[in-house]
């Protein structure tokens, strides 16, 4: 993946944590700090001394300069925009640009990125989005593992390939997890023991085929697999606790469907277990 990163910047610990993660773990080579002012800030105030917009812009420039001084080998830039944070940040995403957002679950400051903003950006961006929780473990002590969740969706092999590339780059192991539950039928007689066994075998084949494919293309990566018969959201969250990175796919590709993450991804992000990379599956429709 490209090492260009857009950091949602609001001068909070969560934003600084996201920036630190992008520089230290992601290895970002080109970083842009982006602050988005709320709609109640008029464009006329942009250059007015003492206005919220002007003060935020100055703080942003100062922050960028500090990062530039501490990371002289990294390209650092900044941008101040007025508008809706979700629309602005999602609009800056692309296939070769990763939007990195820290989590903030409290506070109502004008330039603060709330948890809902990060989730909505992940749901609507056309490119990769990483959401970084505030409790990221030190890479030297946390589990050296990248987790990728699969469910047999079209385009999923690309998702697993990207996860394997990150595992290879960071010298982490890769865990491919597939969680499933039997379908619910009105009649309890529909799913007998043989049918359940067949379903389990089919899910196992799906996981085995995915692992075999990525193992063939990334022979140096140590790959583990986990097949779990349980609700996917909680199961994936449990596996990814203390992982270096969790990789999820987003299924919606049309303009309407991109408004939703999908129940599994949404469940995981509500109880985010680790830095989580959300990738759109398929080519977005405009």
């Amino acid at each position: 993946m490209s090492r260009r990163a857009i950091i949602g910047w609001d001068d909070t610990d969560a934003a600084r944590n996201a920036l630190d993660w992008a520089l230290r773990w992601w290895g970002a080579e080109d970083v842009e700090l982006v602050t988005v002012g709320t709609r109640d800030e008029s464009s006329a105030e942009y250059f007015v001394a003492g206005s919220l917009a002007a003060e935020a812009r100055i703080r942003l420039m100062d922050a960028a300069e500090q990062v530039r001084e501490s990371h002289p080998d990294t390209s650092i830039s900044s941008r101040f925009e007025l508008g809706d944070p979700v629309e602005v940040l999602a609009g800056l995403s692309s296939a070769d640009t990763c939007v990195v957002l820290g989590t903030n679950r409290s506070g109502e400051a004008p330039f603060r990125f709330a948890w809902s903003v990060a989730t909505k950006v992940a749901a609507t961006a056309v490119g990769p989005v990483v959401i970084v929780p505030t409790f990221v473990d030190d890479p030297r002590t946390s589990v050296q593992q990248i987790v990728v969740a699969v469910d047999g969706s079209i385009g999923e092999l690309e998702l697993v390939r990207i996860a394997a590339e990150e595992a290879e780059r960071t010298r982490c192991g890769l865990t491919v997890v597939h969680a499933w539950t039997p379908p619910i039928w009105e009649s309890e007689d529909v799913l007998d023991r043989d049918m359940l066994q067949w379903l389990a075998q089919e899910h196992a084949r799906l996981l085995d085929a995915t692992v075999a494919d990525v193992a063939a293309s990334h022979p140096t990566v140590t790959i583990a697999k986990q097949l779990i018969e349980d609700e996917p959201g909680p199961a994936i969250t449990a596996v990814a606790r203390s992982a270096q990175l969790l990789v999820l796919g987003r299924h919606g590709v049309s303009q309407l469907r991109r408004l939703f993450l999908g129940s599994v991804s949404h469940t995981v992000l509500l109880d985010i277990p680790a830095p989580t990379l959300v990738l759109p599956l398929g080519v977005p429709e405009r």
Side-chain angles (χ1 to χ4, degrees), residues 3-285:
R3 297 298 117 178
R4 171 168 167 71
I6 296 284
I7 310 296
W9 187 258
D10 57 359
D11 202 27
T12 61
D13 289 341
R16 284 185 281 272
N17 189 53
L19 172 63
D20 179 69
W21 181 89
L23 291 169
R24 179 168 53 95
W25 195 90
W26 188 255
E29 301 170 351
D30 182 359
V31 173
E32 185 173 25
L33 306 184
V34 179
T35 293
V36 185
T38 55
R39 291 186 183 278
D40 58 353
E41 296 295 327
S42 68
S43 58
E45 289 186 313
Y46 187 83
F47 293 106
V48 177
S51 69
L52 288 176
E55 291 178 355
R57 180 171 174 269
I58 292 172
R59 290 197 301 271
L60 173 64
M61 295 172 65
D62 289 343
E65 183 58 31
Q66 291 176 9
V67 178
R68 202 174 289 118
E69 291 177 357
S70 59
H71 296 82
D73 296 330
T74 304
S75 175
I76 306 294
S77 59
S78 63
R79 178 193 305 225
F80 182 86
E81 297 277 357
L82 290 172
D84 179 78
V86 174
E87 293 178 1
V88 172
L89 292 168
L92 292 174
S93 69
S94 67
D96 60 356
T97 299
C98 184
V99 176
V100 183
L101 302 173
T103 59
N104 261 326
R105 302 193 183 197
S106 62
E108 299 298 334
F111 301 101
R112 178 163 292 183
F113 292 92
W115 169 251
S116 60
V117 170
T119 307
K120 291 174 183 176
V121 172
T124 57
V126 299
V129 175
V130 175
I131 301 177
V132 183
T134 54
F135 53 83
V136 175
D137 295 323
D138 189 321
R140 293 168 297 183
T141 59
S142 58
V143 179
Q144 300 298 301
Q145 198 77 6
I146 290 176
V147 176
V148 58
V150 300
D151 63 4
S153 298
I154 295 175
E156 199 167 66
L157 288 179
E158 178 68 9
L159 179 79
V160 180
R161 181 188 65 79
I162 289 173
E165 288 177 354
E166 291 305 308
E168 194 169 50
R169 181 184 66 84
T170 58
R171 299 182 180 179
C172 287
L174 177 66
T175 296
V176 184
V177 58
H178 175 56
W180 68 283
T181 56
I184 298 175
W185 299 88
E186 292 184 3
S187 172
E188 296 181 357
D189 297 330
V190 174
L191 290 177
D192 57 20
R193 181 176 300 177
D194 291 340
M195 175 63 77
L196 287 173
Q197 185 177 10
W198 177 82
L199 283 173
Q201 291 172 347
E202 288 301 304
H203 283 284
R205 289 192 187 99
L206 183 155
L207 180 59
D208 289 343
T210 301
V211 170
D213 183 89
V214 71
S217 59
H218 295 81
T220 63
V221 176
T222 300
I223 303 173
K225 59 184 178 182
Q226 288 202 34
L227 179 65
I228 305 171
E229 186 179 343
D230 198 356
E231 290 295 333
I236 294 167
T237 298
V239 173
R241 291 288 182 202
S242 299
Q244 291 288 303
L245 182 69
L246 170 61
V247 182
L248 298 174
R250 194 193 75 218
H251 299 119
V253 293
S254 68
Q255 286 183 337
L256 178 60
R257 290 180 65 196
R258 286 209 310 270
L259 295 175
F260 305 96
L261 266 174
S263 59
V264 174
S265 296
H266 188 257
T267 299
V268 173
L269 291 180
L270 287 177
D271 187 24
I272 187 168
T276 300
L277 169 62
V278 181
L279 287 162
L281 299 178
V283 179
E285 299 173 359

